[in-house]
Amino acid sequence: MKHTYQITGMSCQSCVGKIKDELLRLPDITHVDISLENGTAEIEMTQHVSTETMQAAISKAGTYTITMQGHTAEHAMKHGRKNWLVTYKPLLLVIGFIVLISTITSVSNGTIDWKRWMNYFMAGFFLGFSFFKFLDLKGFATSYSTYDLIAAKWKGYGYIYPFIELLLGIAYITHWEPFITNSVTAVVMAVSSLGVINSLLKRRNIQCACLGTVFNLPMSNVTLIEDGVMFLMAVAMLFSI
């Protein structure tokens, strides 16, 4: 697919070259054609890349701003709706595997121990999702800072967050201090949900960092449901202690 963008801040061909180099570093972008005279860029990509992701990339080259042109934005949104299953396939597969493993390990005498199921699901969730974030820790921190309330004010939180998920995953799988583990989870998921809600209310077209930068997942209600379910599970397990 090809989209047209407006880029401001360019003053010479050197600017064009630096911006082009940074954009082509993004995995899903295959070709970039920039017009210095018109201040536009035609960008070809294998799947839609959010303007926030591209903005974070070109900011490394200088004080440039990239925005999506109106008709192109509308086209991208329609395209995204038509390919919902394709877009979220990685996330659905990861969650599907976690659900399967949690179910298998929670069956006892033909019935499912739901408390054990939630415990193993949360262990698998945090361990699996932290793994994808560690694949590109810097990229995750940059992407996460575009919508998380804490990471937006202190980017260092984006570097710490995957370690929090990893430790929570270990805590759940080892059954370490359930009250502390679930309390921390409830707080972390609540804060994360607030950041997602804020972005959705502002209708911001940004990348969801739940699976790091390995997959280009757009922010949507799916992200909110994901965080909300984890929050509710943590609260439910707190009441069951």
Side-chain angles (χ1 to χ4, degrees):
M1 68 185 76
K2 180 188 292 186
H3 298 320
T4 303
Y5 296 83
Q6 198 75 33
I7 299 180
T8 59
M10 297 185 296
S11 59
C12 61
Q13 287 300 327
S14 176
C15 296
V16 171
K18 288 189 291 184
I19 293 173
K20 185 174 182 179
D21 286 344
E22 292 298 337
L23 289 174
L24 288 174
R25 292 177 188 274
L26 298 175
D28 296 314
I29 292 181
T30 57
H31 181 75
V32 178
D33 186 14
I34 299 176
S35 170
L36 177 62
E37 181 181 358
N38 298 324
T40 59
E42 289 191 350
I43 302 175
E44 294 183 21
M45 53 192 78
T46 55
Q47 59 179 332
H48 183 64
V49 179
S50 70
T51 51
E52 281 74 15
T53 299
M54 288 188 282
Q55 180 62 61
I58 68 172
S59 292
K60 299 174 185 177
T63 54
Y64 308 111
T65 302
I66 183 169
T67 55
M68 181 180 282
Q69 292 187 347
H71 70 282
T72 309
E74 182 180 354
H75 171 76
M77 291 177 65
K78 290 180 179 179
H79 182 83
R81 286 195 291 268
K82 292 178 182 178
N83 293 279
W84 189 89
L85 286 177
V86 175
T87 300
Y88 289 100
K89 181 180 179 181
L91 179 62
L92 295 174
L93 282 175
V94 172
I95 292 179
F97 273 99
I98 295 173
V99 168
L100 177 62
I101 294 172
S102 301
T103 302
I104 293 173
T105 55
S106 303
V107 174
S108 178
N109 298 321
T111 60
I112 296 178
D113 182 332
W114 287 105
K115 184 176 179 180
R116 179 185 295 179
W117 186 91
M118 286 192 291
N119 189 84
Y120 284 127
F121 177 86
M122 295 171 87
F125 179 93
F126 285 124
L127 291 174
F129 279 53
S130 66
F131 166 78
F132 287 105
K133 294 177 176 67
F134 278 120
L135 291 177
D136 182 9
L137 188 56
K138 182 179 180 180
F140 165 75
T142 299
S143 181
Y144 199 48
S145 66
T146 62
Y147 65 90
D148 183 77
L149 298 181
I150 298 178
K153 297 181 179 299
W154 178 47
K155 193 174 179 180
Y157 182 65
Y159 288 93
I160 295 174
Y161 188 80
F163 290 94
I164 295 176
E165 285 195 331
L166 175 61
L167 291 175
L168 285 174
I170 294 173
Y172 275 110
I173 206 168
T174 59
H175 304 282
W176 180 83
E177 296 292 343
F179 180 80
I180 296 176
T181 300
N182 286 293
S183 296
V184 172
T185 298
V187 172
V188 170
M189 290 295 100
V191 173
S192 180
S193 297
L194 289 175
V196 174
I197 291 172
N198 182 56
S199 295
L200 292 176
L201 290 176
K202 292 181 178 179
R203 299 182 180 277
R204 298 173 63 199
N205 180 29
I206 59 177
Q207 180 182 13
C208 170
C210 54
L211 289 180
T213 59
V214 178
F215 303 104
N216 183 31
L217 301 177
M219 180 68 68
S220 71
N221 290 329
V222 173
T223 311
L224 180 59
I225 293 172
E226 167 200 318
D227 287 349
V229 168
M230 294 299 291
F231 169 77
L232 292 175
M233 281 189 181
V235 172
M237 293 184 72
L238 277 172
F239 279 104
S240 69
I241 295 176

